[in-house]
Each structure stands twice: as C-alpha cells, then as structure tokens.
Amino acid sequence: MKIIYFHGFASSGASGTVQLLRLLMPEAEVIAPDIPVDPAEALPMLKNLVQAEQPDIIIGTSMGGMYAQQMRGVKRICVNPAFNMSTMSKVLKTGEHRFLNGRKDRQKTFRITREIIQHHNQMERVQFKDITPDEQELCWGLFGINDPTVNTYALFKKHYTHALRFEGEHQLNEKVLRKTVIPLIKELLGIN
C-alpha cells in the first residue's frame, strides 16, 4: 500500500503525523514531501509526484488537505482542509516565519510575500473546477468538531458528498489516527 501525505502550512514531510502514520501502518509506504511555500511551485510539484508515484491514497491535513482535494483521479482524504488560506487564514501573513519541523533542505525560516498570497488566492478560486460525479466518489473530508483554526465543512459539502466529523481538533494525534483516519483508509482501500 502506498500513501502520499501532504502536510500543513509551515510544516514538513518529517511532521509528527508522518511519523505516527509510519508507526501505526508499518505495512504502508508513506511518502511525505516537503511542500514548497508558494502554491505556484507547490501544486505542479505535487501533481508530478502523484503521477510518478501512483499512490493508493493521498492524505492531506489543513493546507495539505487543500492540495489533496486538487489531486484528481486518486482516492484522497482531506483532514480539516484549509481551502481559503489567502482570505481566512491567521497564519498566511507577509513576513518571515519559522518552519515547525525539520525540512530536507535544512531551511529554518521562510518568507511569505504579497505575491505568494496572491498565488494562493488565484489557486483557491479555481480549486473546485472540473469535479465530476466520479471524482466526488474519490474524495473524503474529515472535520474536527473542536477545530478552532479551520471550518470548511459546508464548503466541502457544497462540492463533495463524503464529509465526516470526528472528535478532535485541527491537528491530528494518535487517537484520531487510530479511531478515524486509519479505519477510513482501510475501508476505502478494501483492507480488513
């Protein structure tokens, strides 16, 4: 089983969620790239990665959920997806920011510019384009009941039918992975 995981804003492919997925699903190959800060660079890179790796499923959290939603033709789970980074996010602000986790390029900080925010806005305006009924069957949304950061349940339901709420907050933890995410992965992939 091959899983591609897309991390959230300011994180990396070395996040705690990736480590937990690998620990809790040792039978799976978990590919977790460091996502570029600028969506003009990130989206093409992620689409190329998905095409090259042909994963069984994609899981994205927060900003990664927004990117996962756009990976047409692949089963995917969007956890607390941040579909409106440019307008609703409290974190996408111009200036210097620190990465939350170690990155492969060893960068500790990154800069958000007005141009990057504009790129987010341009991408967000077209992110739900070309969703067919077949495509709706491939995408699931998971939404934490106590998420203080992102609330895109209604927006997701406007475009997709499979939206579930779970007992949890914005970031995933071991309990949510065990009770909600991993059982859904196994259900979608037909694994007992």
Side-chain angles (χ1 to χ4, degrees):
M1 172 187 353
K2 189 184 286 189
I3 297 170
I4 294 183
Y5 174 77
F6 294 165
H7 63 74
F9 181 77
S11 191
S12 77
S15 73
T17 301
V18 173
Q19 294 170 35
L20 278 170
L21 276 171
R22 288 180 174 143
L23 178 72
L24 298 172
M25 299 191 75
E27 72 281 11
E29 177 186 3
V30 179
I31 299 165
D34 289 348
I35 299 174
V37 173
D38 189 335
E41 185 183 343
L43 192 58
M45 184 212 87
L46 295 173
K47 286 181 176 180
N48 288 337
L49 175 69
V50 168
Q51 186 174 11
E53 292 294 341
Q54 296 291 302
D56 296 297
I57 197 161
I58 299 168
I59 302 164
T61 55
S62 193
M63 179 192 73
M66 178 263 306
Y67 283 124
Q69 183 278 134
Q70 298 177 71
M71 300 296 120
R72 306 287 186 256
V74 181
K75 288 180 183 173
R76 54 212 187 275
I77 300 171
C78 306
V79 184
N80 296 320
F83 294 132
N84 304 311
M85 290 286 295
S86 68
T87 56
M88 303 294 283
S89 176
K90 296 177 183 108
V91 295
L92 190 66
K93 303 289 182 208
T94 57
E96 193 83 11
H97 301 268
R98 291 195 64 75
F99 284 114
L100 302 170
N101 309 83
R103 307 236 330 161
K104 289 179 182 89
D105 63 7
R106 299 197 184 327
Q107 292 297 313
K108 303 269 189 242
T109 62
F110 62 98
R111 177 167 286 289
I112 295 295
T113 63
R114 285 189 177 144
E115 183 180 45
I116 289 173
I117 294 172
Q118 183 180 22
H119 291 163
H120 270 279
N121 187 270
Q122 290 166 347
M123 178 190 58
E124 290 161 13
R125 288 195 308 243
V126 297
Q127 68 181 313
F128 296 109
K129 195 175 172 191
D130 303 326
I131 298 173
T132 64
D134 288 342
E135 198 56 50
Q136 288 178 327
E137 291 303 311
L138 294 173
C139 192
W140 289 71
L142 294 177
F143 299 86
I145 293 167
N146 302 311
D147 184 348
T149 309
V150 173
N151 181 6
T152 58
Y153 179 85
L155 179 56
F156 186 88
K157 284 290 288 180
K158 193 171 158 184
H159 300 281
Y160 293 100
T161 53
H162 303 298
L164 305 170
R165 295 190 187 272
F166 65 90
E167 190 65 45
E169 297 185 13
H170 188 66
Q171 291 186 312
L172 290 178
N173 58 34
E174 185 173 347
K175 180 181 175 186
V176 173
L177 280 168
R178 283 185 188 274
K179 281 185 68 177
T180 307
V181 178
I182 292 173
L184 181 57
I185 291 169
K186 289 181 176 181
E187 178 187 331
L188 295 179
L189 297 182
I191 299 167
N192 292 331

